[in-house]
């Protein structure tokens, strides 16, 4: 069994250089493979299509919260699936309200298309600490502090595990969730400092280090912060007790 994370996008909402943060998780076992896309914002659908080896085979989409840079790429993606004559059912799971928000977004973007997509969509909405299945992986929702209801997700397949924050501040209470994770993908909106509803590079690295995470990927950095500080991050990685890195779009990590 192998588990791989593909960073389709790593940007925040308005970064003109980076697609919105969106991660494709692929599990391969013998000849079977399963895949889930974690978040799909304004600019993520095209990025996903460019990164995936077989986009039509996608099993599931996770929506961490209802900000546009995390779910408003869905009308484009769903209609493209339809244009490519997809018939495979699609699971969409996410925060409470995701089901009606996706249908409304689809109706605004492409009126009348929802009922004629040509494939089934199975919605499940998760609450804090729910456990459920996402593309055949064990999933657990984790509440995040953010201006709107927001859920992180821990994915587990055999002996591999991954945690993705979506948007929100990492707290000490997350240690049991992060404990032993092979990869934590964490939003780090700023380099340092304490801000409500978001984490910083220094906060994420210290918490992930203390929690015993193997590797930590920093995503969703505010565009000006990223442009200013990207080249000076190495000193933060050198001092951290965890292997930290800032992925670029298209990067792949084997867990
Ligand atoms: Zn947000």
């Amino acid at each position: 069994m192998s588990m791989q994370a593909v960073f389709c996008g790593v940007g925040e909402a308005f970064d003109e250089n980076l697609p919105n943060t969106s991660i494709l998780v692929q599990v391969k076992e013998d000849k079977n493979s399963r895949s889930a896309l974690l978040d799909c914002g304004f600019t993520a659908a095209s990025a996903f299509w460019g990164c995936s080896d077989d986009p039509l085979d996608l099993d599931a989409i996770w929506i961490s919260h209802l900000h546009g840079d995390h779910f408003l790429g869905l009308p484009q993606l769903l209609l493209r699936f339809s244009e490519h004559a997809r018939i495979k059912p699609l699971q969409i799971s996410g925060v409470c309200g995701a089901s009606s928000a996706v249908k409304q977004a689809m109706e605004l973007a492409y009126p009348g298309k929802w009922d004629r997509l040509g494939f089934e969509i199975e919605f499940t909405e998760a609450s804090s600490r729910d456990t459920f299945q996402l593309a055949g992986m064990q999933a657990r929702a984790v509440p995040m502090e953010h201006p709107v209801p927001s859920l992180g997700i821990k994915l587990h397949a055999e002996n591999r595990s991954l945690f993705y924050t979506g948007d929100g501040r990492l707290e000490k209470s997350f240690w049991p969730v992060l404990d032993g994770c092979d990869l934590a993908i964490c939003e780090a909106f700023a380099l340092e400092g304490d801000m409500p509803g978001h984490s910083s590079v220094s906060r994420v690295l210290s918490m992930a280090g203390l929690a015993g995470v193997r590797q930590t990927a920093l995503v969703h950095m505010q565009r000006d912060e990223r442009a200013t500080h990207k080249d000076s991050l190495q000193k933060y990685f050198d001092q951290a007790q965890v292997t930290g890195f800032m992925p670029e779009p298209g990067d792949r990590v084997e867990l």
Side-chain angles (χ1 to χ4, degrees):
M1 200 276 305
S2 70
M3 193 177 194
Q4 185 184 60
V6 183
F7 293 90
C8 306
V10 297
E12 44 98 295
F14 313 122
D15 194 321
E16 69 272 32
N17 297 311
L18 298 171
N20 300 145
T21 292
S22 180
I23 295 108
L24 176 64
V25 181
Q26 304 182 122
V27 172
K28 289 185 182 160
E29 205 165 4
D30 301 325
K31 287 181 182 164
N32 297 321
S33 69
R34 291 164 277 148
S35 59
L37 186 66
L38 308 182
D39 281 339
C40 184
F42 308 120
T43 56
S46 301
F48 157 72
W49 212 275
C51 283
S52 173
D53 299 328
D54 190 357
L56 286 174
D57 198 40
L58 185 71
D59 293 288
I61 296 170
W62 165 252
I63 301 170
S64 64
H65 67 295
L66 298 176
H67 277 159
D69 56 315
H70 292 262
F71 86 102
L72 280 178
L74 276 166
Q76 185 193 134
L77 185 58
L78 298 181
L79 194 60
R80 187 158 184 188
F81 280 151
S82 184
E83 277 202 5
H84 286 263
R86 178 184 174 120
I87 52 170
K88 180 179 179 177
L90 178 70
Q91 177 190 5
I92 300 181
S93 295
V95 69
C96 285
S99 164
S100 66
V102 170
K103 287 177 193 164
Q104 283 177 49
M106 191 72 200
E107 192 54 29
L108 279 170
Y110 300 108
K113 292 289 188 186
W114 178 260
D115 292 326
R116 287 182 276 135
L117 286 172
F119 56 94
E120 294 291 320
I121 294 178
E122 179 201 327
F123 275 110
T124 50
E125 294 189 354
S127 300
S128 303
R129 298 181 183 81
D130 272 359
T131 55
F132 56 101
Q133 295 270 314
L134 188 77
M137 292 175 268
Q138 298 271 17
R140 178 180 165 191
V142 182
M144 305 297 302
E145 188 211 307
H146 198 54
V148 297
S150 187
L151 294 173
I153 188 169
K154 184 168 185 182
L155 293 173
H156 198 96
E158 278 191 26
N159 56 351
R160 297 282 183 275
S161 60
L162 173 154
F163 177 65
Y164 167 57
T165 56
D167 279 4
R169 189 180 150 98
L170 213 51
E171 303 284 354
K172 280 184 185 168
S173 58
F174 286 62
W175 289 358
V177 177
L178 291 169
D179 185 23
C181 244
D182 294 289
L183 175 65
I185 302 168
C186 301
E187 70 109 313
F189 201 61
L191 188 66
E192 291 192 4
D194 233 10
M195 74 208 96
H198 285 290
S199 285
S200 64
V201 169
S202 57
R203 184 180 189 88
V204 165
L205 290 176
S206 81
M207 298 229 170
L210 290 167
V213 172
R214 284 223 196 112
Q215 293 190 79
T216 300
L218 303 171
V219 296
H220 201 278
M221 195 171 195
Q222 199 275 345
R223 58 199 176 281
D224 299 325
E225 287 273 295
R226 184 177 165 116
T228 307
H229 299 298
K230 186 167 170 275
D231 294 335
S232 56
L233 286 175
Q234 193 55 49
K235 73 169 192 267
Y236 288 82
F237 297 146
D238 290 343
Q239 289 165 3
Q241 292 176 294
V242 61
T243 302
F245 63 102
M246 181 165 272
E248 296 289 337
D251 283 355
R252 291 168 183 247
V253 174
E254 289 288 340
L255 275 66

